[in-house]
Amino acid sequence: MPAPAPEGERARELLAGMTDEEKVGQLFLVSIPGTGLDAASLAFLTEAKIGNVILFGNNCENGAQISALTDSIQRAVTEATGAPALIAVDQEGGEVTRVTDGATVYPGAMAFAASGGEPTALDPVPEANALRIEGEFVGEELRALGINCNLAPVADVNTNPLNPVIGVRSYGDDPERVAGAAAAYALGLQSRGVLAVAKHYPGHGDTSVDSHYGLPVSQKSLDELAAAELVPFLTAGKAGVAGVMAAHILYPRIDPDGRPATLSKAVLTGMLREGEGLSNGFEGLIFTDSMRMGAVTSQYGIGNACVLAVNAGADILTTGTGEDGAAGLQVQRAAYNEVLAAVKNGTISRETLDDRVGRILFYKEKYGLFDGGLPLGPDHTHEEEHARFAREVSDKSMTLLRDPRGLLPLGTLAEERLLAISPPLPLSAAPAGTDPEAASFAARAAARFSGKSLLIGPAPDGAQTAACAAAAAEADRVVIAMTRAEQAGLVRAVAEANPDAVVLLLGSPYLAGLLPPEVTAVCGYEYTPLSTGSAVSLLAGGFQPRGALPVKLD
């Protein structure tokens, strides 16, 4: 049997007086549409006694707006349920950053790992101190905005170069280094009163299917997982991380029922909670990844999947999704109704329900949410200090892969014609109101060197490739940002037309394998305003590239 849920005095008293409806509401982490708490969202939260809310990019406009939204959510939930709300966000850093205006945008996990340089026997996780500081800074910013739970760090060990969903969100391919990095970030967050949630248990780093759309399958045994994927989660658990998020991945050699980890009692209760076959069990909160992802909805349906997840060992059912609308409230309300019906008919026992809810309330008490979780406002953050730290890490992460022709730095290029090529900046990585074309690498590099710019699509066609190659042949120097594998043909054509082309990999370092070996290449790991600024500064000779690859390239 799993260990009983830990108890706090206020949590125990509250649990004793709660109805089934109120208890079931505590299990849910829901999303709402828009930047304010509209009538439909308010009715859903209060009528279903929902206990927890997750914010996505469509909910986050700026600091003042976010503070007002979290204030209204916290007041509504507390009044309706008697307990404060967990208000969560995915603030990983890099391109997975929900709050881009009102909080500092930090580099992502792999960029942070690269910024630490090569590990040594004395310093096996050289970026750990920086990650602890990042966690503290992010925690301060989120709590100031009324957010008390961060669905981070990513604790996945990325060993599959073709991984479509993790990649640069991981700290690398070395289990021990990922473990130290993830634990450092988590402890920094929690030192500032923000619950950290390590994800995606038991590990999403060696998959080739995106669980948003399909169900990944891993044939690894428990011993194989324990040697790599599970190392960061065991380390995080020992360090006291508040939560772990389970992944929608099927492990046929572990789960005899053929269910993905989020719905698997063998994985959630046996492996994670009880530590079966491992060194210790996990006492914190078990979150599910979104129950509206294709990996589970296509086979189980959201309501049934939620019931199965609770019985498997999950405490908190994440039903939110980005860009949610009014229809999303109905979907989540139906899932709530199905879980409530399962409690009423005994499919979910009251002992199981009390175990899950008791643990949730305990962690709300442990992190001081009962003592006041209302936002302080965005003015309570140290913007300049935090932004300077983020820029320093971003600069340090720039990794020189090769420069056989000695092209770097570009210098002043006083009499040379420079051509800069890139896609527009992704909207998901930019603050609201940012012009993705004006903020692109091409535009910023062209402005810095008084050159010309060309914008390309995420997957350029033949005509665009030919046009860029022709323009490159006419230029003295070319700099081009590559963000996706689909751009490899264009990059190769440009490099053939102009051998002095410099390629900035503003994405996965594995993209280097698609480049000709004689091409000068620098890895920046992500495509954000921060990494773009660092890339342009490096080209201009503002600093020497000092980053070290956190993954092995063939």
Side-chain angles (χ1 to χ4, degrees), residues 60 269 523:
C60 301
T269 297
C523 190

Side-chain angles (χ1 to χ4, degrees), residues 508-523:
S508 168
Y510 298 115
L511 294 173
L514 303 176
L515 301 178
E518 67 276 7
V519 170
T520 295
V522 176
C523 190

Side-chain angles (χ1 to χ4, degrees), residues 10 69 137 153 181 184-186 203 233 244 271 280 334 344 374 430 458 482 523 532:
R10 298 177 75 173
L69 176 60
F137 286 176
Y185 182 59
F233 294 99
V244 163
M271 282 173 52
N280 63 317
K344 298 290 190 184
L374 299 182
M482 180 178 177
C523 190
T532 300

Side-chain angles (χ1 to χ4, degrees), residues 406-481:
L407 300 177
L408 296 176
L410 299 184
T412 59
L413 301 181
E415 302 298 327
E416 296 187 272
R417 298 165 299 172
L418 178 128
L419 173 67
I421 304 171
S422 79
L425 188 75
L427 284 173
S428 60
T434 299
D435 181 343
E437 296 187 0
S440 68
F441 169 80
R444 293 180 68 176
R448 173 63 181 79
F449 295 104
S450 300
K452 294 183 179 180
S453 64
L454 281 177
L455 290 175
I456 61 175
D461 58 18
Q464 200 167 53
T465 297
C468 287
E474 297 296 318
D476 293 315
R477 303 291 287 276
V478 179
V479 292
I480 179 168

Side-chain angles (χ1 to χ4, degrees), residues 14-24 49 340 344 353:
L14 184 59
L15 179 66
M18 294 177 79
T19 64
D20 288 343
E21 288 76 8
E22 290 168 337
K23 291 177 182 178
V24 170
K49 310 297 183 185
L340 179 61
K344 298 290 190 184
L353 181 64

